[in-house]
Amino acid sequence: MSAAEQTEVIIIGGGIAGAGAGFEISRSAKVILLEREGQCGYHTTGRSAASFTENYGNGVIRRIVLASRAFLTEPPAGFCDYPLLSKRGMITVARSDQLDLLHQELETAQALVPSIVAMTPAEAIARVPVLRADYLAGAYIEPHSMDIDVNGLHQGFLRGARACGAKIVTNAGVTGISRYGGQWRVETLAGTFLAPRIVNAAGAWGDEIAAMAGVRPIGLQPKRRTAFNIPAPDGVSITDWPLVNDVGAEFYFKPDAGQLLVSPADAAPSVPMDAYAEDIDVAIGAERLGQATTIEVQRVSRSWAGLRTFVADGSPVVGPDDEVPDFIWLVGQGGYGIKTSPALSRVCASLMAGGGLPDDVARQGVALADLTPQRLRSADLQRASA
């Protein structure tokens, strides 16, 4: 039996959260990153819609995205071979029965992103000719919404972590976690690892990892999101189409490598698992697309699903556990983990080291209490006393 390998920080999870944390933490500490699958990013990270929008998610999410834009726009020298962001834009559309919601959402959006402006149905149809005039009653556009090179960002984090000495171990599913003498002992299928601190970046499995470590779970709820590709409409160039998003979160579609990516924007509760697309959800997405556009789905090229994991208030959970401070949470990013990863990675590294929020994150109006696990413990206490 091989001896346990000693390090300073063990990161559990090699998706975008764990990779970003490894990139930041490895600058000042010795890191081992453990990934249960044969490759990092197999689950949610590899199934992203690859959209950077500052107008999606709750207020905390939107402010973290604003703090992430600078990194994504101008990553460090040598981080990636190509730009991480590319022009796309996003139009949010509404039926007549959704106009009140559209006006509310537009007002909220413009408070943080002044470049978002209303547009007429005719203007929206001019940008996306397949939209139905008898369906569309209102719209607004986020002109600076972008596509994200998810693989470029993820691999940049991993490459940068390795360059700082981090070790990345795949096929390392965790089988047990114990603590003795100020050291965590993490047993995996790839060996045993020791460190005084653990970063839990295990996504949908975050509460399971916590339970193994004897740390109280925080109530993570994975929710399945389905997507599928269909061929582009005949005789139509879709290259410059923006992402089209329904204001009621009933569907969205966007160009994707010469085809259309379509989603019914579902959020079905799930256990942690290797998610797959249900036929009924694909059918619902196709039906909603047909109601809003002139596209009739004849063939689905491929379909897939990923898990977006939330806690009760919809905001990420980042920072040392309030009961076990050497156990650091980096979970609950929902469907926003890619576009928030630059800022949340820095937040995680700073809080783990005993610092506060990075100045640029705080300037966006994010407070420590918005992110740390203690807010969820307080909510538990309030519910218990009610």
Side-chain angles (χ1 to χ4, degrees):
M1 181 179 294
S2 60
E5 187 170 350
Q6 180 72 52
T7 190
E8 293 178 301
V9 181
I10 293 171
I11 298 174
I12 299 175
I16 198 72
F23 175 79
E24 295 292 345
I25 295 169
S26 62
R27 299 183 185 194
S28 57
K30 186 178 179 183
V31 169
I32 290 178
L33 186 153
L34 304 176
E35 167 55 47
R36 62 181 284 166
E37 305 295 348
Q39 65 186 58
C40 291
Y42 171 77
H43 289 284
T44 301
T45 296
R47 309 175 194 193
S48 167
S51 175
F52 178 86
T53 167
E54 294 162 328
N55 184 43
Y56 193 49
N58 68 19
V60 174
I61 291 289
R62 296 182 192 202
R63 287 174 168 83
I64 295 168
V65 173
L66 291 170
S68 295
R69 180 182 271 274
F71 183 102
L72 295 170
T73 302
E74 294 187 25
F79 184 86
C80 50
D81 296 328
Y82 303 98
L84 294 174
L85 298 180
S86 55
K87 184 177 179 181
R88 175 59 57 201
M90 182 173 81
I91 293 177
T92 298
V93 300
R95 303 181 302 265
S96 58
D97 62 306
Q98 297 173 311
L99 283 178
D100 286 346
L101 178 59
L102 185 80
H103 296 149
Q104 293 169 15
E105 290 294 320
L106 176 57
E107 184 176 353
T108 300
Q110 289 176 325
L112 281 177
V113 189
S115 60
I116 294 176
V117 294
M119 62 192 319
T120 66
E123 289 170 334
I125 292 170
R127 291 291 303 274
V128 186
V130 294
L131 287 168
R132 290 184 180 273
D134 58 356
Y135 177 95
L136 191 59
Y140 62 77
I141 185 167
E142 181 181 351
H144 303 306
S145 175
M146 311 284 272
D147 283 344
I148 302 181
D149 181 348
V150 176
N151 185 64
L153 178 61
H154 186 226
Q155 292 302 318
F157 281 147
L158 294 173
R159 189 166 48 245
R162 288 191 183 98
C164 288
K167 181 176 181 180
I168 297 169
V169 185
T170 55
N171 296 307
V174 175
T175 58
I177 304 174
S178 57
R179 194 164 185 257
Y180 180 77
Q183 289 269 70
W184 292 104
R185 182 182 180 91
V186 181
E187 309 277 354
T188 81
L189 298 176
T192 301
F193 304 89
L194 302 174
R197 290 172 293 181
I198 286 176
V199 173
N200 177 12
W205 289 266
D207 271 349
E208 292 185 2
I209 292 297
M212 282 188 189
V215 175
R216 273 206 294 162
I218 57 173
L220 290 167
Q221 177 59 71
K223 297 183 179 182
R224 187 180 68 247
R225 170 60 56 89
T226 304
F228 55 94
N229 283 136
I230 61 172
D234 290 339
V236 176
S237 174
I238 66 170
T239 304
D240 296 327
W241 283 7
L243 185 153
V244 176
N245 174 57
D246 169 70
V247 72
E250 295 181 9
F251 69 89
Y252 60 82
F253 64 92
K254 61 172 281 191
D256 180 40
Q259 300 197 73
L260 281 181
L261 181 156
V262 184
S263 174
D266 49 328
S270 172
V271 298
M273 64 180 296
D274 184 359
Y276 59 90
E278 299 276 3
D279 290 345
I280 184 62
D281 294 320
V282 174
I284 289 170
E287 180 182 18
R288 291 175 179 173
L289 181 72
Q291 291 171 348
T293 76
T294 58
I295 297 172
E296 295 183 12
V297 176
Q298 303 292 334
R299 178 170 64 87
V300 172
S301 305
R302 72 183 187 101
S303 61
W304 66 95
L307 297 181
R308 306 159 74 242
T309 302
F310 298 85
V311 292
D313 63 10
S315 296
V317 183
V318 190
D321 188 84
D322 53 309
E323 298 169 348
V324 187
D326 290 334
F327 186 92
I328 293 91
W329 295 89
L330 181 56
V331 295
Q333 296 92 335
Y336 320 106
I338 305 299
K339 64 182 183 177
T340 59
S341 60
L344 287 184
S345 298
R346 290 186 291 113
V347 169
C348 179
S350 180
L351 297 184
M352 187 189 74
L357 292 178
D359 288 343
D360 65 313
V361 178
R363 283 196 300 271
Q364 293 295 344
V366 180
L368 198 57
D370 293 328
L371 300 177
T372 57
Q374 186 173 2
R375 76 185 196 270
L376 302 170
R377 310 292 193 213
S378 300
D380 287 343
L381 290 173
Q382 290 171 3
R383 283 192 292 270
S385 62

